[in-house]
């Protein structure tokens, strides 16, 4: 019953998390209708997308049902089985990103092999079959500790172990055996900090590169992002953007590609992870860039010309709101508004409509301005307040 | 089935047009659920609000059904009958704005009487019963032409007549008789230009005043808005903001109040119209201000602290996309994207999901930057392109 023009395409989004929710905001502005496959009733994006189907993204029939009639299929997460993506592509669906690209964000061993072949700088790595192989790998990179990762299925620090000896690799191999994935060993990089280079790439090959940002992790979860990365050498910033553009082009990524990087103590950048979807390290761009990552993701997957990724302010800081266990705000982020908004009329708050659990990403705040320390303080204060880490006396 | 915290209120919006649609974008960010009363399936806001009821806003039972369980009721338009608003308020609903305020945006005679009592500068005016009264009124303001308006129900130039003689008032009185409204006569102001002063006001009495903008009308429809109004004398800008704050406070407005003003050739400002909802002359703020009018409307009606209304760039220009009758784009605004977005990567486009009819508001574009002429050219070009006024050769 909608009144869209005849050529207006419908975009299918697989996955009903906050990334799909924030895509929906941009889709409203662009006048592009969405169809959503949500994991369950009432999940984050299902609250805001009328045309929602609830079902399992691991079921091909469900995927076929939700994508029927949609011009483009895109994703809230990277967990759709590769063989289903191929089946959808064989059906004639424009999966963006497509399965050949997405596998590099799904399988860390495939990603490392491909990036190495492309001469993209990575930490030293090897697929390891057992504890002995871990021992040999450690010896080849100067000893323990080394990092073990499941090649598939990990996120937010899950499926990652830092081991100080071969014996400590037992958990990793037990997980591998239980889930049928392989284990990748990587050198533990002595990094100065973590960076992220985001690009949007369209099927026509247009690329828009966002300013390189610094990302601060705690317990494997993105905590704070500063745009642009402070005091980053111009040469390294360009190198990071060139890596992202090269990876996007060589792998044929469509939509947003996030390249998470280590900046080493000796002034190099090494690729840590790839994500082929809007990414937590790009949330700053919603309020801080001319074109936010969610709008550019939609423009890219629709093969529309991309928007400017330029920053609108000298500094933008995004801090995640993680669920705390403070009784005052437990389950009730809304109660945090009066103080947070009154303290800072320039603050931008994004809440995802998710129930609060300790450590769960339930929203983010963004501040921008001319003075980095002032901007950081505003964003950190607000996020801590919503998390419940500040008592009433901290007002 | 949503997972909102226990204190998160649901906001009911009466009316499914583009203003409700743009409120929905802000509600997503704030994590505030909406319930919508739409005029018909698939109207602009119904496309993006899952919890939508289709029904008639003139029916009190329908209004009671849609507002049930909602903490706050607000509006996409001002057409809900005043007696129904009183009934909802009597039921205990927080109507924001409330009926005592809203009547001043619904009935121009009530508005003129009240503003005059408050010493707010207005064009000279009188309620007229017949052609003879029009003759007497014209004589009292220096002769014809004078402006006749229906006291209720007009918008976008409808219900307004500029008459050069008493005889020409026949259409107005015929409309009045047919619809049961009165006719208000006003002097035809010799204005230099039209201005608009927007404020958000919360039930607690906090007010945020947006920069005063210049609004360019064509055929009674808002065409172009420049923020801030160029070359506006500082004293007049302050006076316009003070008028808006005074009207909001004295009338007890909650949410956005738009005060449309004439700037006269002799350097005064006179109130033309009031609107008590987000307003076309505030659309620039979505991309051009720290806090857009739709977010501040929701924050105001929820009695949350208001966000900064400051401009983010020296100049912002918004131009409406009106339906044209060009065959190339007729019914297919989406086909306008490739050129418009490629020509201007900094352009912001908002399409409302409405079918294209000549003269209908179907979207708007916004450009911002440091140079007013460059910004205006970008916005005017893009809107003309979407309207179909530019041929392919104009690229």
């Amino acid at each position: 019953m909608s009144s869209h023009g005849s050529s207006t395409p419908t975009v299918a989004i697989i996955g009903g998390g906050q990334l799909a929710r924030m895509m929906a905001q941009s889709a409203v502005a662009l006048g592009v209708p969405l169809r959503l496959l949500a994991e369950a009733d009432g999940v984050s994006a299902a609250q805001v997308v009328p045309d929602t189907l609830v079902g399992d993204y691991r079921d091909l029939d469900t995927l076929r049902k939700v994508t029927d009639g949609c011009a483009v299929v895109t994703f809230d997460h990277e967990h759709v089985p590769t063989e289903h993506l191929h089946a959808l592509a064989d059906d004639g669906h424009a999966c963006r990103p497509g399965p050949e690209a997405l596998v590099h964000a799904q399988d860390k061993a495939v990603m490392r092999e491909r990036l190495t072949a492309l001469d993209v700088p990575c930490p030293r790595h090897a697929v390891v079959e057992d504890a002995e192989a871990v021992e040999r790998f450690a010896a080849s990179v100067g000893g323990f500790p080394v990092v073990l990762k499941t090649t598939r299925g990990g996120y937010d620090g899950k499926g990652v172990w830092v081991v100080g000896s071969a014996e400590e690799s037992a958990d990793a191999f037990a997980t591998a055996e239980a889930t049928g994935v392989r284990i990748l060993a990587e050198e533990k990089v002595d990094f100065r900090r973590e960076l992220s280079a985001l690009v949007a790439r369209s099927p026509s090959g247009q690329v828009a590169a966002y300013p390189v940002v610094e990302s601060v992790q705690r317990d494997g979860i993105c905590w704070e992002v500063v745009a642009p990365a402070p005091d980053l050498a111009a040469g390294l910033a360009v190198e990071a953007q060139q890596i992202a553009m090269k990876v996007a082009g060589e792998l044929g990524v469509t939509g947003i590609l996030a390249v998470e990087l280590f900046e080493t103590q000796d002034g190099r950048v090494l690729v840590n992870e790839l994500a082929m979807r809007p990414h937590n390290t790009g949330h700053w761009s919603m309020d801080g860039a001319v074109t936010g990552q969610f709008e550019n993701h939609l423009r890219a997957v629709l093969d529309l010309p991309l928007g400017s990724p330029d920053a609108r302010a000298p500094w933008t800081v995004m801090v995640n709101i993680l669920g705390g266990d403070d009784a005052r705000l437990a389950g009730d982020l809304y109660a945090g508004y009066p103080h947070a908004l009154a303290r800072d009329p320039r603050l931008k708050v994004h809440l995802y409509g998710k129930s609060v659990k300790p450590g769960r990403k339930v929203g983010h705040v963004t501040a921008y301005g001319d003075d980095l320390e002032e901007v950081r303080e505003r964003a950190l204060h607000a996020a801590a307040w919503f998390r419940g880490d500040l008592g009433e006396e901290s007002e």
Side-chain angles (χ1 to χ4, degrees), chain A:
Chain A
M1 291 297 292
S2 82
S3 304
H4 300 287
S6 52
S7 81
T8 305
T10 297
V11 175
I13 303 178
I14 310 302
Q18 66 263 28
L19 301 181
R21 181 184 175 100
M22 291 186 273
M23 283 183 217
Q25 281 179 277
S26 292
V28 173
L30 290 170
V32 170
L34 300 179
R35 184 177 302 150
L36 183 75
L37 179 62
E39 297 74 22
D41 279 338
V43 295
S44 183
Q47 295 165 23
V48 302
V49 177
D51 189 3
T52 292
L53 181 77
V54 173
D56 188 342
Y57 60 81
R58 293 165 300 189
D59 178 63
L60 182 56
D61 286 341
T62 300
L63 291 171
R64 285 189 160 131
K65 190 169 168 196
V66 77
T67 57
D68 181 48
C70 293
V72 171
V73 186
T74 192
F75 308 94
D76 172 79
H77 57 68
E78 291 138 346
H79 306 318
V80 177
T82 307
E83 63 272 23
H84 290 354
L85 296 173
H86 280 287
L88 291 177
D90 291 345
D91 289 350
H93 282 295
C95 294
R96 293 179 180 163
E100 293 83 359
L102 200 58
V103 68
H104 300 89
Q106 294 177 316
D107 188 309
K108 293 183 192 359
V110 172
M111 179 267 284
R112 285 289 179 229
E113 188 175 357
R114 183 70 183 275
L115 295 193
T116 302
L118 292 170
D119 280 329
V120 171
C122 290
R124 288 171 289 178
H125 58 274
V127 173
V128 288
E129 306 295 333
D130 54 25
E132 258 177 53
V134 175
E135 189 82 50
R136 283 196 304 276
F137 175 78
S140 75
V141 297
F144 286 99
V146 299
V147 180
L148 302 181
K149 298 175 171 177
T150 56
T151 52
R152 280 180 174 262
Y155 68 95
D156 279 354
K158 292 178 176 63
V160 179
W161 297 264
V162 179
V163 298
S165 68
E167 292 71 40
E168 291 178 21
S169 60
D171 281 356
F173 287 111
T175 300
E177 192 159 357
T179 58
V181 301
R182 296 184 294 168
I183 293 293
L184 184 74
E186 295 186 348
E187 68 174 311
K188 187 166 189 308
V189 175
D190 180 24
F191 61 84
R192 182 179 164 226
R193 58 179 170 176
E194 293 184 73
L195 304 173
S196 178
L198 242 80
V199 296
R201 183 178 177 277
S202 67
S204 300
Q206 191 194 0
V207 177
Y210 283 88
V212 176
V213 302
E214 176 174 348
S215 144
V216 180
Q217 315 274 325
R218 290 195 197 173
D219 303 325
I221 297 179
C222 176
W223 185 272
E224 175 188 348
V225 169
V226 181
D231 301 318
L232 180 62
L236 270 191
V238 169
E239 187 181 343
Q241 287 184 317
Q242 284 177 336
I243 286 171
M245 289 190 279
K246 179 178 183 174
V247 170
E250 293 285 348
L251 272 52
V253 178
T254 46
I256 294 286
L257 167 72
V259 180
E260 295 183 89
L261 302 139
F262 297 122
E263 180 183 355
T264 65
Q265 298 289 358
D266 59 354
R268 296 171 298 141
V269 286
L270 301 174
V271 172
N272 180 21
E273 306 271 2
L274 303 184
M276 293 183 193
R277 50 171 170 74
H279 191 251
N280 205 157
T281 60
H283 290 355
W284 71 274
S285 65
M286 300 176 80
D287 300 301
V290 174
T291 315
Q293 66 166 344
F294 296 98
E295 178 175 341
N296 258 343
H297 183 76
L298 288 174
R299 286 163 70 157
V301 303
L302 288 164
D303 207 11
L304 292 173
L306 301 176
S308 166
D310 293 349
R312 290 191 69 172
W315 298 105
T316 305
V317 175
M318 188 274 340
V319 182
N320 277 334
I321 302 173
L322 301 177
D325 41 18
D326 180 274
R328 180 173 54 82
L329 286 180
D332 192 6
L333 291 169
Y334 190 84
Y337 269 137
H339 167 68
L341 299 181
R343 183 181 193 266
D344 185 357
R346 302 179 72 85
L347 185 75
K348 305 312 294 180
V349 183
H350 300 261
L351 298 184
Y352 306 153
K354 293 164 75 174
S355 61
V356 177
K357 294 176 190 169
R360 188 183 203 196
K361 291 177 187 173
V362 291
H364 72 267
V365 294
T366 305
Y368 55 81
D370 297 332
D371 182 90
L372 176 55
E373 284 318 302
E374 181 254 350
V375 167
R376 280 195 74 211
E377 190 280 332
R378 288 164 50 206
L380 286 167
H381 177 97
W385 173 257
F386 278 108
R387 206 165 51 236
D389 287 359
L390 300 175
E392 297 284 345
E393 72 278 8
S394 304
E395 293 192 32

